[in-house]
């Protein structure tokens, strides 16, 4: 060993390839490297410079690899990971398929679904997932599974305190829409929510951050929105809210309050930087101004725009107004690289083609919305979302040694246009290797597939009869 070699600083990992930093200058470093030790990034730069300073216990990546920030999924329902084709091309499907699917799961079924969804995400380079748990009995198993699988999560919990009834257009002759709030349910659930916030805020691991799940204007009272806003401020958390997702929700809000859902929450003072509007497909320009004015953000799941045939979220308008927008998989496709591509194509068609604007929504926009902008949406940008010294070592290593991804003249454009989750080779979360050689190390995947088959059959028994159109079968 030479004298110069003895001076090298030992680190756990050196990760080599084309480094996509997503830092303030969006630097892309060809022949770059990232050094990782004790769960943190300790160096980012040209490979020759990093290797001259550090000696690694293991080297990941290499020539024709991409080294990217661990990607961030801003919206998911892990308990729905195995619904899959049961909701395909059969409308409406949220209250008739997705929610009954959760109701059909016992605790161990929910564990299987969570493991299944997280395995999909990790294999596709996602290191952080925003989980919105609807079913109270599933909450503990979701917490356990997040910790056991090694993923990072902003997990939201919370139950509604309002019952509503929408009198449809055909019922209006004899009926009116109505609401009924339950203050007792509100007090009970706020106590559970505060316990959840306190317990996980004090957790030393730091991979699970507690959030509040407000189901939406039809299910949550004004008191709940305002009191959970106070809780979010007290614990440095935030609330995730499904809103402006479908026509019935807006029709109900207009009937009961004389204003649209986001307008209603803005008027009562519920919007804030801690507010994430999930989907927001049917959001008007004036509501976008309200989101921007209050610092609220949006979790955009582009695949769901087509899955429920609602509308295309006005993402370019939101971004231009200064609204933070992150991408979400929402279980439909748990591959954020594919979701980036879908978003790029969708918004280029919706805005770029219509207005002849090649910059309405770019591949760089899509990639940012799955990395650093997603981290900002979750108020986690100080730790994740980019490859910078001092940040958590959440890193995705993508094998570009194939004819789809090489040569990569514009690495970000190449990944958004051509990559898929199966190109991901290695993944670190907080410096721990959780995917190696394309295999998840924290889950027994063959056994999981057997369990997924069992749960899938159970869901089929619960959901097949709920479809209007029989699911296509093979012989």
């Amino acid at each position: 060993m030479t004298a110069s070699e003895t001076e090298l600083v030992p680190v756990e990992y050196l990760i080599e390839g084309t480094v996509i930093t997503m830092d303030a200058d969006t630097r892309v470093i060809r022949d770059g490297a990232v050094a990782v030790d004790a769960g943190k990034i300790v160096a980012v730069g040209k490979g020759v410079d990093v290797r001259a300073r550090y000696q690694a216990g293991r080297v990941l990546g290499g020539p024709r690899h991409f080294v990217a920030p661990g990607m961030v999924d801003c919206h998911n329902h892990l308990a729905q990971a195995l619904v899959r084709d049961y909701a395909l091309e059969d409308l409406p499907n949220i209250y008739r398929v997705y929610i009954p699917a959760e109701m059909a799961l016992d605790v161990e079924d929910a564990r299987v679904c969570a493991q299944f969804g997280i395995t999909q995400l990790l294999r596709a380079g996602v290191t952080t997932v925003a989980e919105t748990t609807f079913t109270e009995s599933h909450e503990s198993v979701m917490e356990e599974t997040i910790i056991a699988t090694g993923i990072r999560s902003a997990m939201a919990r919370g139950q509604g305190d309002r019952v509503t009834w929408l009198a449809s257009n055909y019922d209006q002759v004899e009926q009116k829409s109505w609401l009924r709030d339950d203050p007792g349910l509100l007090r009970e659930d706020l106590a559970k929510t505060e316990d959840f916030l306190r317990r996980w805020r004090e957790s030393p691991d730091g991979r699970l951050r507690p959030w509040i799940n407000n189901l939406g204007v039809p299910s949550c009272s004004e008191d709940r929105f305002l009191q959970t806003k106070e809780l979010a401020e007290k614990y440095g958390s935030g609330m995730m809210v499904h809103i402006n997702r479908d026509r019935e929700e807006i029709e109900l809000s207009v009937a009961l309050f004389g204003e649209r859902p986001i307008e209603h929450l803005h008027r009562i003072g519920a919007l804030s930087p801690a507010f994430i509007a999930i989907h927001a497909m049917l959001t008007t320009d004036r509501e976008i101004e309200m989101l921007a004015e209050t610092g609220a953000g949006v979790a955009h799941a582009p695949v769901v725009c087509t899955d429920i045939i609602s509308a295309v979220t006005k993402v370019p308008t939101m971004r231009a107004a200064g609204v933070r927008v992150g991408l979400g998989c929402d279980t439909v496709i748990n591959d954020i690289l594919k979701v980036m591509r879908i978003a790029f194509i969708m918004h280029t068609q919706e805005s770029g083609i219509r207005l002849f604007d090649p910059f309405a929504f770019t591949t760089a926009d899509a990639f940012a919305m799955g990395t650093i902008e997603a981290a900002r949406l979750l108020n986690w940008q100080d730790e994740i979302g980019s490859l910078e010294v001092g940040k958590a070592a959440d890193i995705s290593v993508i094998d570009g040694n194939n004819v789809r991804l090489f040569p990569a003249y514009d690495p970000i454009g190449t990944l958004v246009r051509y990559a898929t989750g199966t190109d991901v080779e290695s993944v670190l979360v907080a410096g721990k290797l959780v995917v190696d050689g394309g295999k998840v190390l924290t889950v027994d995947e063959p056994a999981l597939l057997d369990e997924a088959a069992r749960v899938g059959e159970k869901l089929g028994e619960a959901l097949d009869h709920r479809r209007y159109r029989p699911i296509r079968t093979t012989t």
Side-chain angles (χ1 to χ4, degrees):
M1 181 177 292
T2 68
S4 62
E5 287 177 324
T6 63
E7 297 171 0
L8 295 178
V9 177
V11 293
E12 293 176 77
Y13 296 101
L14 281 183
I15 308 167
E16 301 179 338
T18 296
V19 177
I20 302 171
T21 66
M22 298 310 292
D23 63 10
D25 297 319
T26 319
R27 290 184 303 150
V28 175
I29 307 170
R30 294 187 185 274
D31 299 318
V34 177
V36 171
D37 197 61
K40 299 288 186 179
I41 296 172
V42 298
V44 179
K46 295 294 288 186
V48 64
D49 297 329
V50 176
R51 286 190 295 271
R53 295 170 54 200
Y54 297 97
Q55 176 71 44
R58 182 172 176 188
V59 177
L60 301 174
R64 298 180 183 174
H65 283 66
F66 303 88
V67 183
M71 286 166 272
V72 180
D73 171 12
C74 286
H75 179 57
N76 217 306
H77 298 281
L78 293 174
Q80 297 174 8
L82 286 168
V83 174
R84 295 171 69 94
D85 300 343
Y86 291 124
L88 180 65
E89 296 167 359
D90 193 73
L91 297 172
N93 58 33
I94 293 173
Y95 295 100
R96 196 169 43 80
V97 177
Y98 282 107
I99 292 177
E102 282 204 31
M103 295 170 64
L105 301 174
D106 62 28
V107 170
E108 287 309 308
D109 297 335
R111 188 189 307 275
V112 171
C113 288
Q115 288 180 336
F116 191 86
I118 291 171
T119 300
Q120 290 177 317
L121 293 168
L122 289 174
R123 287 189 61 172
V126 172
T127 55
T128 301
V129 59
E131 157 64 6
T132 44
T133 300
F134 279 160
T135 306
E136 190 170 358
S137 62
H138 296 165
E139 290 170 8
S140 293
V141 76
M142 290 297 161
E143 298 169 18
E144 295 167 6
T145 307
I146 287 164
I147 296 302
T149 54
I151 202 166
R152 191 183 298 273
S153 181
M155 178 178 164
R157 65 88 51 209
Q159 300 297 314
D161 65 326
R162 166 176 287 174
V163 177
T164 54
W165 174 260
L166 171 64
S168 74
N169 185 56
Y170 306 108
D171 296 327
Q172 292 284 341
V173 172
E174 297 180 352
Q175 299 184 45
K176 290 179 67 175
S177 298
W178 53 264
L179 66 82
R180 183 173 64 248
D181 294 340
D182 189 328
L185 278 179
L186 174 59
R187 286 192 298 272
E188 179 180 335
D189 195 69
L190 286 177
K192 293 178 181 177
T193 299
E194 184 160 19
D195 176 69
F196 173 71
L197 294 170
R198 184 185 302 111
R199 178 161 44 91
W200 284 105
R201 184 183 69 166
E202 297 170 355
S203 171
D205 184 273
R207 281 191 295 107
L208 193 157
R209 285 193 176 183
W211 278 63
I212 300 162
N213 185 18
N214 282 344
L215 306 178
V217 169
S219 302
C220 296
S221 68
E222 288 79 4
D223 283 345
R224 178 175 176 84
F225 276 109
L226 294 176
Q227 291 187 55
T228 52
K229 179 184 177 183
E230 292 178 1
L231 278 180
E233 293 171 351
K234 178 179 178 180
Y235 289 95
S237 181
M239 68 175 77
M240 303 180 189
V241 184
H242 286 73
I243 199 162
N244 284 11
R245 181 182 59 191
D246 49 61
R247 178 176 177 141
E248 289 79 6
E249 169 202 354
I250 295 172
E251 188 175 355
L252 179 70
S253 180
V254 169
L256 295 177
F257 312 118
E259 52 198 355
R260 296 166 57 87
I262 289 176
E263 291 176 331
H264 180 60
L265 295 186
H266 181 257
R267 181 178 59 78
I268 68 171
L271 302 183
S272 75
F275 186 103
I276 294 180
I278 299 171
H279 298 308
M281 299 166 185
L282 295 164
T283 300
T284 64
D285 287 352
R286 65 180 182 273
E287 287 177 305
I288 290 173
E289 291 177 3
M290 295 171 184
L291 294 174
E293 171 194 325
T294 57
V298 172
H300 169 49
V303 185
V304 179
C305 294
T306 59
D307 192 45
I308 67 173
I309 313 294
S310 177
V312 175
T313 310
K314 301 174 76 170
V315 169
T317 303
M318 292 174 176
R319 286 167 52 85
V323 176
R324 293 165 297 141
V325 185
L327 285 179
C329 295
D330 204 5
T331 79
V332 184
I333 297 178
N334 282 331
D335 182 339
I336 200 73
L337 289 166
K338 288 183 180 178
V339 172
M340 289 176 184
R341 180 158 58 254
I342 290 166
F344 167 65
I345 294 170
M346 174 179 287
H347 296 297
T348 298
Q349 289 178 330
E350 178 72 9
S351 297
I353 292 176
R354 181 167 52 87
L355 300 174
F356 197 68
D357 180 4
F359 310 112
F361 191 84
T362 66
T363 53
D365 294 332
F367 197 80
M369 285 170 50
T371 53
I372 187 59
E373 292 187 16
R376 291 191 186 109
L377 183 67
L378 299 177
N379 194 29
W380 222 330
Q381 69 274 15
D382 291 341
E383 287 191 54
I384 63 173
S386 62
L387 301 180
E388 300 181 72
V389 172
K391 282 196 169 184
D394 286 19
I395 302 173
S396 177
V397 185
I398 300 167
D399 184 0
N401 193 32
N402 59 66
V403 293
R404 280 183 298 102
L405 300 182
F406 184 84
Y409 308 120
D410 177 343
I412 291 176
T414 294
L415 290 179
V416 172
R417 290 169 69 96
Y418 310 121
T420 66
T422 53
D423 295 314
V424 173
E425 184 175 273
S426 306
V427 177
L428 285 84
V429 181
K432 179 181 178 181
L433 191 65
V434 293
V435 176
D436 191 15
K439 295 182 179 179
V440 177
L441 303 180
T442 56
V443 174
D444 181 349
E445 199 164 335
L448 176 61
L449 292 177
D450 291 339
E451 283 293 284
R454 176 188 64 79
V455 175
E457 290 178 6
K458 181 176 181 177
L459 288 176
E461 295 172 0
L463 299 176
D464 271 346
H465 73 281
R466 301 187 69 88
R467 288 179 57 92
Y468 287 113
R469 303 172 62 213
I471 196 166
R472 292 186 291 269
T473 58
T474 57
T475 58

